[in-house]
Amino acid sequence: AQTPVKVTVTGAAGQIGYALLFRIASGQLLGADVPVTLSLLEVPQAVKAAEGTAMELDDCAFPLLRGIEIADDPNVAFDGANVALLVGAMPRKAGMERGDLLEANGGIFGPQGKAINDHAADDIRVLVVGNPANTNALIAQQHAPDVPAERFTAMTRLDHNRALSQLAAKLGVPVTEIKKMTIWGNHSATQYPDLFHTEIGGKIAAEQVDESWLRDTFIPTVAKRGAAIIDARGASSAASAANAAIDHVHDWVNGTEWTSAAIVSDGSYGVPEGLISSFPVASRGGRWEIIQGLEIDAFSRERIDASVRELEEERDAVRKLGLI
Ligand code: NAX
């Protein structure tokens, strides 16, 4: 029988965790023929809630679920992990400065990166969901010198899926008709959803919509969708975020011709080497590759640069705090 793949989920008792774990256990993360064991990492005060979720997972009698472990120690939770979904993070609280936020998250993602470095399986793949996702991923990556840097990624797939859905609604086409969508930069309000390479029926999307819609409606709607969800639901995106995490890892492992993911820059498109920034990517042989050779016009350049500048500022801030 196939050895189960060990998937570690941090923040397992949170709302994204609750939406994510059942889908992993049902085979949607890795495939309907891949057995999994789940490792749930939580803070001590939420371990009991994680145990409750584990009881429900048991009660599903998922054929692919071969075991569940719960821990409050990252060294235990990441031991032998093949996939790590870093969801738990310190949310911004009222009155918190950006420096405080980065510092609190450094205290989470530094030790988790080190635990991954010391204990995870050789093929470990890491997706950071917890915000600020790109910079949290950078902190974790910097604490894992023995793991290839390319194994650390951050999630912009939710932004990508939001962009697909907004464009599909505007043009009255199914999302499956839309190819080559791209989110560039940071998973933040500065992100740039790019329609200048997106195609519908072989025609460029930017040419099928008004420039004013693209600039004044599409881009801000995608970038601020998270806030709109909070406004409507009274809670932040959870099932859609979990869905995007599933999409990201599924495509990383199983391959895709084109999607968006925040991965370590090799300097492509003027994004400084080492930053974890969103790019148009393909996945082949279990590795992300940045899609090369796209022409970037002035409109896109300005927006990509602004988001990348924000990532550089975050990197400089965590450097100054001694977090990387
Ligand atoms: P919740 O507050 O519901 O859950 C977070 C869980 O993480 C809690 O159970 C908490 O106990 C746990 N936790 C905190 N510190 C931990 C640590 N050191 N080790 C293990 N567990 C720890 O938040 P939820 O709605 O699930 O969101 C989780 C994160 O995802 C947040 O940072 C949120 O901002 C981020 N998001 C990222 C998105 C993206 O597209 N990249 C979109 C959705 C979401 O906003």
Side-chain angles (χ1 to χ4, degrees), residues 156-157 160-161 163-164 175-176 178-184 192-199 204-205 247-248 250-252 254-261 269 278-284 287-296 304:
T156 52
R157 185 61 174 265
H160 178 100
N161 288 342
L164 285 177
V175 286
T176 48
I178 303 174
K179 310 291 178 201
K180 305 187 180 178
M181 179 63 74
T182 301
I183 304 291
W184 298 91
Y192 173 52
D194 174 0
L195 295 187
F196 291 89
H197 302 98
T198 308
E199 296 175 4
I204 295 296
D247 283 350
H248 176 113
H250 180 274
D251 288 355
W252 191 357
N254 295 298
T256 182
E257 286 306 307
W258 191 305
T259 187
S260 304
Y269 297 105
S278 189
F279 288 99
V281 292
S283 172
R284 300 195 181 95
R287 295 176 62 162
W288 292 120
E289 294 170 12
I290 297 171
I291 290 167
Q292 297 295 335
L294 303 180
E295 266 183 51
I296 310 294
I304 295 169

Coordinates of all heavy atoms in Angstrom, one line a residue, residues 156-157 160-161 163-164 175-176 178-184 192-199 204-205 247-248 250-252 254-261 269 278-284 287-296 304:
T156 N -1.6 33.5 -3.3 CA -2.4 34.6 -4.0 C -3.4 33.9 -4.9 O -4.1 34.5 -5.7 CB -1.5 35.5 -4.9 OG1 -0.7 34.7 -5.7 CG2 -0.6 36.3 -4.0
R157 N -3.7 32.6 -4.7 CA -4.7 31.9 -5.5 C -6.1 32.4 -5.2 O -6.9 32.3 -6.1 CB -4.5 30.4 -5.2 CG -5.4 29.5 -6.1 CD -5.0 29.7 -7.6 NE -5.8 28.8 -8.5 CZ -5.3 27.6 -8.9 NH1 -4.1 27.2 -8.6 NH2 -6.0 26.8 -9.7
H160 N -6.5 35.3 -7.3 CA -6.5 34.8 -8.7 C -8.0 34.3 -9.0 O -8.6 34.7 -10.0 CB -5.5 33.7 -8.9 CG -5.5 33.0 -10.2 ND1 -4.6 33.3 -11.2 CD2 -6.3 32.0 -10.7 CE1 -4.8 32.5 -12.2 NE2 -5.8 31.7 -12.0
N161 N -8.5 33.5 -8.1 CA -9.9 33.0 -8.3 C -10.9 34.1 -8.3 O -11.9 34.1 -9.0 CB -10.2 31.9 -7.3 CG -9.4 30.6 -7.5 OD1 -8.9 30.4 -8.6 ND2 -9.3 29.8 -6.5
A163 N -10.4 37.2 -9.2 CA -10.2 37.9 -10.5 C -10.9 37.1 -11.6 O -11.6 37.7 -12.5 CB -8.8 38.1 -10.8
L164 N -10.8 35.8 -11.6 CA -11.5 34.9 -12.6 C -13.0 35.1 -12.6 O -13.7 35.3 -13.6 CB -11.2 33.5 -12.4 CG -9.8 32.9 -12.8 CD1 -9.7 31.5 -12.4 CD2 -9.5 33.1 -14.3
V175 N -16.1 30.6 -16.1 CA -14.7 30.8 -15.7 C -13.7 29.9 -16.5 O -12.6 30.3 -16.7 CB -14.4 30.6 -14.2 CG1 -15.0 31.7 -13.3 CG2 -15.0 29.2 -13.7
T176 N -14.2 28.8 -16.9 CA -13.4 27.8 -17.7 C -12.9 28.4 -19.0 O -12.0 27.9 -19.6 CB -14.1 26.5 -17.9 OG1 -15.4 26.9 -18.4 CG2 -14.2 25.7 -16.6
I178 N -11.7 31.4 -19.4 CA -10.7 32.4 -19.1 C -9.3 31.7 -18.9 O -9.2 30.8 -18.0 CB -11.1 33.3 -17.9 CG1 -12.4 33.9 -18.2 CG2 -10.0 34.3 -17.7 CD1 -13.0 34.7 -17.0
K179 N -8.4 32.1 -19.7 CA -7.0 31.5 -19.6 C -6.0 32.6 -19.2 O -6.2 33.8 -19.6 CB -6.6 30.9 -20.9 CG -7.6 30.0 -21.6 CD -7.7 28.7 -20.8 CE -8.8 27.8 -21.5 NZ -9.4 26.8 -20.6
K180 N -4.9 32.3 -18.6 CA -3.8 33.1 -18.4 C -4.1 34.3 -17.5 O -3.6 35.4 -17.8 CB -3.2 33.5 -19.7 CG -2.8 32.4 -20.6 CD -2.0 32.8 -21.8 CE -1.7 31.6 -22.7 NZ -1.0 31.9 -23.9
M181 N -4.9 34.2 -16.5 CA -5.0 35.2 -15.5 C -3.8 35.3 -14.6 O -3.1 34.3 -14.4 CB -6.2 34.8 -14.6 CG -6.5 35.8 -13.4 SD -7.0 37.4 -14.0 CE -8.7 37.1 -14.6
T182 N -3.4 36.5 -14.2 CA -2.2 36.7 -13.4 C -2.4 37.7 -12.3 O -3.0 38.8 -12.5 CB -1.0 37.2 -14.2 OG1 -0.8 36.2 -15.3 CG2 0.2 37.3 -13.4
I183 N -2.0 37.3 -11.1 CA -1.9 38.3 -9.9 C -0.4 38.5 -9.7 O 0.3 37.5 -9.6 CB -2.5 37.7 -8.6 CG1 -4.0 37.3 -8.8 CG2 -2.3 38.7 -7.5 CD1 -5.0 38.4 -9.0
W184 N 0.0 39.7 -9.7 CA 1.4 40.1 -9.4 C 1.5 40.7 -8.0 O 0.6 41.4 -7.6 CB 1.9 41.2 -10.4 CG 1.9 40.8 -11.8 CD1 0.9 41.0 -12.7 CD2 3.0 40.3 -12.6 NE1 1.3 40.6 -14.0 CE2 2.6 40.1 -13.9 CE3 4.3 39.9 -12.3 CZ2 3.4 39.6 -15.0 CZ3 5.1 39.4 -13.3 CH2 4.7 39.3 -14.6
Y192 N -1.7 43.3 -8.0 CA -2.1 43.8 -9.3 C -2.6 42.6 -10.1 O -1.9 41.7 -10.6 CB -0.9 44.4 -10.1 CG -1.2 44.7 -11.5 CD1 -2.4 45.5 -11.8 CD2 -0.4 44.3 -12.6 CE1 -2.7 45.7 -13.1 CE2 -0.7 44.6 -13.9 CZ -1.9 45.3 -14.2 OH -2.2 45.5 -15.5
P193 N -4.0 42.6 -10.3 CA -4.6 41.6 -11.2 C -4.5 42.1 -12.6 O -5.0 43.1 -13.0 CB -6.0 41.5 -10.7 CG -6.3 42.7 -9.9 CD -5.0 43.4 -9.6
D194 N -3.8 41.3 -13.5 CA -3.4 41.7 -14.8 C -4.3 41.1 -15.9 O -4.3 39.9 -16.0 CB -1.9 41.3 -15.0 CG -1.3 41.5 -16.4 OD1 -2.0 42.0 -17.2 OD2 -0.1 41.1 -16.5
L195 N -5.0 41.9 -16.6 CA -5.8 41.4 -17.7 C -5.2 41.6 -19.1 O -5.8 41.2 -20.1 CB -7.2 42.1 -17.7 CG -8.1 41.9 -16.5 CD1 -9.4 42.5 -16.7 CD2 -8.2 40.4 -16.2
F196 N -3.9 42.1 -19.1 CA -3.3 42.3 -20.4 C -2.7 41.0 -21.0 O -2.2 41.0 -22.2 CB -2.2 43.4 -20.3 CG -2.9 44.8 -20.0 CD1 -3.1 45.2 -18.7 CD2 -3.2 45.6 -21.1 CE1 -3.7 46.4 -18.5 CE2 -3.9 46.8 -20.9 CZ -4.1 47.2 -19.6
H197 N -2.6 40.0 -20.2 CA -2.2 38.7 -20.8 C -3.3 37.6 -20.7 O -3.1 36.5 -21.2 CB -0.9 38.2 -20.0 CG 0.2 39.2 -20.1 ND1 0.5 40.1 -19.1 CD2 1.0 39.5 -21.2 CE1 1.5 40.9 -19.5 NE2 1.8 40.6 -20.8
T198 N -4.4 38.0 -20.0 CA -5.5 37.1 -19.9 C -6.2 36.9 -21.2 O -6.4 37.9 -21.9 CB -6.5 37.6 -18.8 OG1 -5.7 37.9 -17.6 CG2 -7.6 36.7 -18.5
E199 N -6.6 35.7 -21.5 CA -7.3 35.5 -22.8 C -8.7 34.8 -22.6 O -8.8 34.0 -21.7 CB -6.4 34.5 -23.7 CG -5.1 35.2 -24.1 CD -4.2 34.2 -24.8 OE1 -4.7 33.0 -25.1 OE2 -3.1 34.6 -25.1
I204 N -7.4 38.9 -26.0 CA -6.9 39.5 -24.8 C -8.1 40.2 -24.0 O -8.8 41.0 -24.5 CB -5.8 40.6 -25.1 CG1 -4.6 39.9 -25.7 CG2 -5.4 41.4 -23.8 CD1 -3.8 39.0 -24.8
A205 N -8.2 39.8 -22.7 CA -9.3 40.3 -21.9 C -9.3 41.8 -21.8 O -10.4 42.4 -21.8 CB -9.2 39.7 -20.5
D247 N -6.4 24.4 -4.2 CA -6.0 24.6 -5.6 C -4.5 24.8 -5.7 O -3.9 24.2 -6.6 CB -6.7 25.9 -6.1 CG -8.2 25.7 -6.5 OD1 -8.7 24.6 -6.4 OD2 -8.8 26.8 -6.7
H248 N -3.9 25.6 -4.8 CA -2.5 25.9 -4.9 C -1.7 24.6 -4.8 O -0.8 24.3 -5.7 CB -2.1 26.9 -3.8 CG -0.7 27.3 -3.7 ND1 -0.2 28.5 -4.0 CD2 0.4 26.6 -3.3 CE1 1.1 28.6 -3.8 NE2 1.5 27.4 -3.4
H250 N -2.7 21.5 -4.9 CA -3.1 20.5 -5.9 C -2.3 20.7 -7.2 O -1.7 19.8 -7.8 CB -4.6 20.5 -6.1 CG -5.0 19.5 -7.2 ND1 -5.0 19.8 -8.5 CD2 -5.4 18.2 -7.0 CE1 -5.4 18.7 -9.2 NE2 -5.6 17.7 -8.3
D251 N -2.3 22.0 -7.6 CA -1.6 22.3 -8.9 C -0.1 22.2 -8.8 O 0.6 21.8 -9.8 CB -2.0 23.7 -9.4 CG -3.5 23.7 -9.9 OD1 -4.1 22.6 -9.9 OD2 -4.0 24.8 -10.2
W252 N 0.4 22.6 -7.6 CA 1.9 22.4 -7.4 C 2.3 21.0 -7.6 O 3.3 20.7 -8.3 CB 2.2 23.0 -6.0 CG 3.6 23.2 -5.7 CD1 4.7 22.9 -6.4 CD2 4.1 23.7 -4.4 NE1 5.9 23.2 -5.8 CE2 5.6 23.7 -4.5 CE3 3.5 24.2 -3.3 CZ2 6.4 24.2 -3.5 CZ3 4.4 24.6 -2.2 CH2 5.7 24.7 -2.4
N254 N 0.4 18.4 -8.9 CA -0.1 17.7 -10.0 C 0.1 18.4 -11.4 O -0.1 17.8 -12.4 CB -1.6 17.4 -9.8 CG -1.8 16.4 -8.7 OD1 -1.4 15.3 -8.7 ND2 -2.5 16.9 -7.6
G255 N 0.6 19.6 -11.3 CA 0.9 20.3 -12.5 C -0.2 21.3 -13.0 O -1.4 21.0 -12.8
T256 N 0.2 22.4 -13.6 CA -0.7 23.3 -14.3 C 0.1 24.1 -15.3 O 1.3 24.3 -15.2 CB -1.4 24.2 -13.3 OG1 -2.4 25.0 -14.0 CG2 -0.5 25.1 -12.6
E257 N -0.6 24.6 -16.3 CA 0.0 25.4 -17.4 C 0.1 26.8 -17.0 O 1.0 27.6 -17.5 CB -0.7 25.2 -18.7 CG -0.4 23.9 -19.4 CD 1.0 23.6 -19.5 OE1 1.8 24.4 -20.1 OE2 1.5 22.5 -19.1
W258 N -0.8 27.3 -16.1 CA -0.8 28.7 -15.8 C -1.7 29.0 -14.6 O -2.9 28.7 -14.7 CB -1.3 29.6 -17.0 CG -1.1 31.1 -16.9 CD1 -1.5 31.9 -16.0 CD2 -0.4 31.9 -17.9 NE1 -1.2 33.2 -16.2 CE2 -0.5 33.2 -17.4 CE3 0.2 31.6 -19.1 CZ2 0.1 34.3 -18.1 CZ3 0.8 32.7 -19.8 CH2 0.7 34.0 -19.3
T259 N -1.1 29.6 -13.6 CA -1.9 30.1 -12.5 C -1.1 31.2 -11.8 O -0.1 31.7 -12.4 CB -2.4 29.0 -11.5 OG1 -3.3 29.6 -10.6 CG2 -1.2 28.4 -10.8
S260 N -1.5 31.7 -10.6 CA -0.8 32.7 -9.9 C -0.3 32.1 -8.5 O -1.2 31.4 -7.9 CB -1.6 33.9 -9.6 OG -2.1 34.5 -10.8
A261 N 0.9 32.3 -8.1 CA 1.4 31.9 -6.8 C 2.5 32.8 -6.4 O 3.3 33.3 -7.3 CB 1.9 30.5 -6.9
Y269 N 11.2 39.7 -14.3 CA 10.3 40.9 -14.3 C 10.7 42.0 -13.4 O 9.9 42.7 -12.8 CB 8.9 40.5 -14.1 CG 8.4 39.5 -15.2 CD1 8.2 38.2 -14.9 CD2 8.1 40.0 -16.5 CE1 7.8 37.3 -15.9 CE2 7.7 39.1 -17.5 CZ 7.6 37.8 -17.2 OH 7.1 36.9 -18.2
S278 N 4.1 37.4 -6.0 CA 3.2 36.6 -6.9 C 3.6 36.9 -8.4 O 3.9 38.0 -8.8 CB 1.7 37.0 -6.7 OG 0.9 36.1 -7.4
F279 N 3.6 35.8 -9.1 CA 3.9 35.7 -10.5 C 2.9 34.9 -11.3 O 2.3 34.0 -10.7 CB 5.3 35.1 -10.7 CG 6.5 35.9 -10.3 CD1 7.1 35.6 -9.0 CD2 7.1 36.8 -11.1 CE1 8.2 36.3 -8.6 CE2 8.2 37.5 -10.7 CZ 8.8 37.3 -9.4
P280 N 2.9 35.0 -12.6 CA 2.3 34.0 -13.5 C 3.2 32.8 -13.4 O 4.4 32.9 -13.7 CB 2.2 34.6 -14.9 CG 3.4 35.6 -14.9 CD 3.5 36.1 -13.5
V281 N 2.7 31.6 -13.1 CA 3.5 30.4 -12.9 C 2.9 29.2 -13.6 O 1.6 29.1 -13.8 CB 3.7 30.1 -11.4 CG1 4.6 31.1 -10.7 CG2 2.4 29.9 -10.7
A282 N 3.7 28.3 -14.0 CA 3.3 27.0 -14.4 C 3.9 26.0 -13.4 O 4.8 26.4 -12.6 CB 3.8 26.6 -15.8
S283 N 3.3 24.8 -13.3 CA 4.0 23.8 -12.4 C 4.3 22.6 -13.3 O 3.3 22.0 -13.9 CB 3.1 23.4 -11.2 OG 3.7 22.3 -10.6
R284 N 5.5 22.2 -13.3 CA 5.9 21.0 -14.1 C 6.8 20.1 -13.2 O 7.7 20.7 -12.6 CB 6.7 21.4 -15.4 CG 5.8 22.3 -16.3 CD 6.3 22.4 -17.7 NE 5.4 23.3 -18.4 CZ 5.6 24.6 -18.5 NH1 6.7 25.2 -18.0 NH2 4.7 25.4 -19.2
R287 N 7.4 21.3 -9.6 CA 8.1 22.6 -9.4 C 7.4 23.7 -10.0 O 7.0 23.6 -11.2 CB 9.5 22.5 -9.9 CG 10.4 21.5 -9.2 CD 11.7 21.4 -9.8 NE 12.4 22.7 -9.7 CZ 13.8 22.8 -9.8 NH1 14.5 21.8 -10.1 NH2 14.3 24.0 -9.7
W288 N 7.3 24.9 -9.3 CA 6.8 26.1 -9.9 C 7.9 26.7 -10.8 O 9.0 26.7 -10.5 CB 6.5 27.1 -8.9 CG 5.3 26.8 -8.0 CD1 5.3 26.7 -6.6 CD2 3.9 26.7 -8.4 NE1 4.1 26.5 -6.1 CE2 3.2 26.4 -7.2 CE3 3.2 26.7 -9.6 CZ2 1.8 26.2 -7.2 CZ3 1.9 26.5 -9.6 CH2 1.2 26.3 -8.4
E289 N 7.4 27.2 -12.0 CA 8.3 27.9 -12.9 C 7.6 29.2 -13.2 O 6.4 29.3 -13.5 CB 8.5 27.2 -14.2 CG 9.2 25.9 -14.1 CD 9.1 25.1 -15.4 OE1 8.7 25.6 -16.4 OE2 9.5 23.9 -15.3
I290 N 8.3 30.3 -13.2 CA 7.8 31.6 -13.6 C 7.6 31.7 -15.1 O 8.6 31.3 -15.8 CB 8.7 32.8 -13.1 CG1 8.8 32.8 -11.6 CG2 8.2 34.1 -13.6 CD1 9.8 33.8 -11.0
I291 N 6.4 32.0 -15.6 CA 6.2 32.1 -17.0 C 7.0 33.3 -17.5 O 6.9 34.4 -17.0 CB 4.7 32.2 -17.3 CG1 4.1 30.8 -17.0 CG2 4.5 32.6 -18.8 CD1 2.6 30.8 -16.9
Q292 N 7.8 33.0 -18.5 CA 8.8 34.1 -19.0 C 8.3 34.7 -20.3 O 7.4 34.2 -20.9 CB 10.2 33.4 -19.3 CG 10.8 32.8 -18.0 CD 11.2 33.9 -17.0 OE1 11.4 35.1 -17.3 NE2 11.2 33.5 -15.7
G293 N 8.9 35.9 -20.6 CA 8.7 36.5 -21.9 C 7.5 37.3 -22.1 O 7.2 37.7 -23.2
L294 N 6.8 37.6 -21.0 CA 5.6 38.5 -21.2 C 6.0 39.9 -21.3 O 6.9 40.4 -20.6 CB 4.6 38.3 -19.9 CG 4.2 36.9 -19.6 CD1 3.3 37.0 -18.4 CD2 3.4 36.3 -20.8
E295 N 5.3 40.6 -22.2 CA 5.6 42.1 -22.3 C 4.8 42.8 -21.3 O 3.6 42.6 -21.1 CB 5.2 42.5 -23.7 CG 6.3 42.5 -24.7 CD 5.9 43.1 -26.0 OE1 5.4 44.2 -26.1 OE2 6.2 42.3 -27.0
I296 N 5.5 43.7 -20.6 CA 4.8 44.5 -19.5 C 4.7 45.9 -20.0 O 5.8 46.6 -20.1 CB 5.6 44.4 -18.2 CG1 6.0 42.9 -17.9 CG2 4.9 45.1 -17.1 CD1 4.8 42.0 -17.5
I304 N 2.9 46.8 -10.8 CA 3.7 45.7 -10.3 C 4.8 46.3 -9.4 O 5.0 45.8 -8.3 CB 4.4 44.9 -11.5 CG1 3.3 44.2 -12.3 CG2 5.4 43.9 -11.0 CD1 3.8 43.6 -13.6

